[in-house]
Amino acid sequence: MTARPLLFLDIDGVLNPVLPSDGFTAHDILDFTVLLSVTHANWLRELSSTYELVWATTWEHEANRHIAPLLELPQLPVVEFTGYVPRPDDPKLPVLDLFSGRKWAPILRYAGGRPFAWVDDVMPERLVSRSRLRRDQLLLPIDPAHGLRREHVDRLLERPPRARRLPRLRPRSPRKPRADGSSVLNVPGGAATVRSPAAGRPEGT
């Protein structure tokens, strides 16, 4: 059975917008006021039929302690950003993208090659542009003023990321030896004669 693609979820600016519309409820959590919506909860349950949901937020494990119960979500896996130690083979980002792309290396490490989508209000436009050329990554930047919208959910469900296709290698055609030392190579459209280095060489040379 093929594993579902991963969906990396941010909270602030995505599930907790700056300028919420009707239907959001304020919650006092860890000295913060967090605005959450039942509609978002329903959308996340809908997305969970296609994706494996993963928290990718600076809330880290606090998301499971405080946010998940309010959205009636199960405990989700968590990408850990605090204390992440960069590795020599981490993707290189331009200096101007180091802040907005600070989650990128830990997310790639967590994905481990699996197809994934990432929704966040802070991500480098450079990465978003590159993802449009790939079938295994889908990056959706979210307007923090309004948070996750129905059009984002529809996009995630319409074309979820899939594993990349490996190039198909054509098998080499066998050569048929001839009595004179040459061989016939079967190629599309006919056969080609290939002479061995010794074929047709005068004796004594």
Side-chain angles (χ1 to χ4, degrees), residues 21-194:
S21 56
D22 294 338
F24 282 80
T25 302
H27 304 272
D28 292 327
I29 304 172
L30 299 176
D31 298 326
F32 298 98
T33 298
V34 179
L35 302 167
L36 300 175
S37 168
V38 173
T39 300
H40 279 169
N42 293 334
W43 289 348
L44 292 179
R45 282 191 289 272
E46 184 179 356
L47 288 165
S48 68
S49 64
T50 301
Y51 292 88
E52 179 182 329
L53 306 185
V54 180
W55 291 125
T57 168
T58 54
W59 285 76
E60 295 189 357
H61 294 281
E62 297 297 335
N64 277 328
R65 297 188 182 99
H66 302 282
I67 306 299
L70 295 172
L71 294 175
E72 297 183 359
L73 291 174
Q75 300 287 290
L76 301 179
V78 176
V79 180
E80 296 182 347
F81 303 109
T82 303
Y84 177 79
V85 178
R87 305 183 190 183
D89 57 341
D90 279 351
K92 306 302 181 187
L93 294 175
V95 174
L96 294 178
D97 291 341
L98 290 179
F99 174 77
S100 58
R102 65 193 185 282
K103 293 182 179 179
W104 187 233
I107 282 176
L108 290 178
R109 292 289 179 192
Y110 187 98
R114 285 177 61 181
F116 67 86
W118 177 29
V119 292
D120 205 303
D121 64 317
V122 179
M123 60 175 65
E125 177 57 35
R126 189 186 315 269
L127 295 180
V128 176
S129 298
R130 288 178 183 174
S131 74
R132 297 190 184 107
L133 304 176
R134 302 183 60 137
R135 56 183 281 163
D136 61 333
Q137 296 177 7
L138 172 58
L139 275 58
L140 289 182
I142 305 297
D143 181 353
H146 305 291
L148 187 70
R149 307 296 292 268
R150 182 67 216 187
E151 55 262 33
H152 300 128
V153 176
D154 290 340
R155 173 64 183 88
L156 288 163
L157 294 175
E158 285 168 2
R159 295 191 302 277
R162 297 175 294 167
R164 301 179 73 181
R165 289 177 181 166
L166 295 176
R168 183 177 296 178
L169 300 178
R170 297 182 62 180
R172 297 181 62 182
S173 301
R175 295 179 177 181
K176 298 179 180 179
R178 286 179 171 176
D180 62 358
S182 65
S183 60
V184 176
L185 177 62
N186 293 324
V187 296
T193 300
V194 180

Side-chain angles (χ1 to χ4, degrees), residues 4-23:
R4 290 172 295 167
L6 302 166
L7 174 54
F8 294 108
L9 291 168
D10 187 28
I11 291 178
D12 296 323
V14 176
L15 302 178
N16 175 33
V18 177
L19 301 174
S21 56
D22 294 338

